Amino acid sequence: MIYLLLSILSSTAIFVLFKLFHKYNINTLQAIIVNYVVAATVGFISYENTINLSVISNSRWFIGAILLGVLFIAIFNVMALTAQRNGISIASVASKMSVIIPIIFGIYVYNESAGLVKIAGIVLALVAVYMASVKTKQNVPVKKSLLLPFILFIGSGIIETSLKYIETNYVESDGIPIFSATIFGSAGIIGLLVIAAKIIGKSLIPDLKSIPAGLVLGVINYYSIYFLLKALQYDGAESSTIFTVNNVTIVMLSAVIGFVLFKERLSFKNIIGIILAIVSIILVTIS
């Protein structure tokens, strides 16, 4: 499962980059939009066949890819708003706990196994994600606003579920690069339109530092999706297992990196959460 490992590492690297963006005062919004353009470019370059816009637009997955691109940039903005208004830990919990949506989808739609051990591992994974993410102090009470976390939870779950459904039913085995590129391309176009409107309205000043930052982020972001889709194509594993191991390990690894590299303090709950994450991965994997 090398693709799953690479997906986990690249997804975790995105969190590290966002920490560095904040540290070096890089405009995150502009870097994200550059990232989408770069990710789309990498996808088109990685596609081994001839790129034919007519063929792409007539592909069975085209409309789904466009809608996913809209969701990508919309839900990311919701994540930013949730972090600003409700706190980073709540945003993290809402996005990672959404793993339950594709898991339930996989069990009921694809008739994937749902034994007691697997169910116990999934439930334990949700508890682990919460405990590994929650902070000892909250700037905003949890009950102050439930709307944004709820939208983030549902949106993140829909994205992961849709990726699996479209990849399974409509994307050819060699079509992942062009499929991923189309998703990022649609998100990038929307982002460029937003930036253009802000520049015209003189509400945004271009930040040149965001260009190289977005370049690095775009390459990593593209491959985080590419590797996840490749992992989902593996015949020997169910999507519920892939999503659980992927999301929980990202939370666990991010917590460790935050502690080692950025000197973030881990509470007793955080440590217990990391331990529970390891146990949940073992339970879901052996089942």
Side-chain angles (χ1 to χ4, degrees):
M1 295 300 287
I2 184 65
Y3 286 120
L4 179 57
L5 175 61
L6 292 172
S7 174
I8 291 168
L9 292 175
S10 53
S11 296
T12 304
I14 292 174
F15 287 102
V16 175
L17 284 175
F18 282 133
K19 290 285 291 185
L20 293 174
F21 288 176
H22 177 72
K23 180 178 180 181
Y24 294 104
N25 297 316
I26 294 171
N27 187 292
T28 303
L29 173 62
Q30 295 181 44
I32 288 168
I33 293 173
V34 172
N35 132 82
Y36 283 131
V37 175
V38 171
T41 303
V42 172
F44 287 123
I45 292 175
S46 301
Y47 190 52
E48 296 179 353
N49 299 325
T50 302
I51 296 175
N52 188 315
L53 295 180
S54 177
V55 172
I56 293 174
S57 62
N58 289 312
S59 297
R60 295 187 300 163
W61 48 258
F62 180 72
I63 298 299
I66 297 299
L67 294 176
L68 274 172
V70 175
L71 273 176
F72 266 44
I73 196 164
I75 295 303
F76 187 87
N77 285 327
V78 171
M79 184 183 298
L81 288 172
T82 305
Q84 292 166 3
R85 299 180 184 181
N86 299 75
I88 294 175
S89 62
I90 295 177
S92 174
V93 170
S95 61
K96 293 306 175 186
M97 285 184 68
S98 68
V99 69
I100 194 173
I101 296 176
I103 287 175
I104 294 174
F105 187 84
I107 290 173
Y108 282 96
V109 175
Y110 299 115
N111 296 316
E112 295 183 350
S113 63
L116 290 177
V117 174
K118 188 170 192 175
I119 292 174
I122 291 170
V123 173
L124 195 61
L126 296 176
V127 176
V129 169
Y130 173 78
M131 295 191 71
S133 302
V134 72
K135 304 300 180 183
T136 55
K137 295 181 180 180
Q138 295 288 347
N139 294 326
V140 180
V142 177
K143 295 183 180 180
K144 185 175 181 179
S145 175
L146 295 177
L147 179 61
L148 287 174
F150 178 74
I151 294 174
L152 178 58
F153 173 84
I154 296 298
S156 298
I158 289 175
I159 286 174
E160 290 190 333
T161 304
S162 300
L163 279 171
K164 170 59 181 176
Y165 180 79
I166 296 173
E167 177 272 324
T168 300
N169 294 284
Y170 301 111
V171 181
E172 299 81 5
S173 59
D174 62 344
I176 287 180
I178 199 69
F179 170 62
S180 303
T182 304
I183 294 175
F184 286 120
S186 62
I189 291 172
I190 294 171
L192 288 174
L193 292 174
V194 171
I195 284 239
K198 286 181 174 291
I199 291 176
I200 293 173
K202 298 181 179 180
S203 61
L204 181 144
I205 299 175
D207 177 21
L208 294 180
K209 291 188 297 183
S210 67
I211 296 177
L215 176 62
V216 176
L217 178 63
V219 174
I220 294 175
N221 198 12
Y222 169 79
Y223 281 107
S224 70
I225 299 297
Y226 174 81
F227 291 139
L228 177 60
L229 289 173
K230 293 294 286 185
L232 288 169
Q233 285 187 330
Y234 182 64
D235 293 331
E238 298 178 339
S239 64
S240 56
T241 300
I242 295 294
F243 282 123
T244 301
V245 174
N246 185 71
N247 282 26
V248 173
T249 308
I250 289 170
V251 171
M252 179 181 67
L253 186 57
S254 297
V256 173
I257 290 176
F259 175 74
V260 175
L261 296 183
F262 299 103
K263 310 304 179 184
E264 294 181 350
R265 296 184 61 184
L266 293 176
S267 67
F268 179 72
K269 284 185 178 181
N270 298 151
I271 296 173
I272 295 298
I274 293 174
I275 295 173
L276 290 179
I278 296 172
V279 175
S280 71
I281 291 173
I282 294 173
L283 290 177
V284 171
T285 302
I286 64 174
S287 64

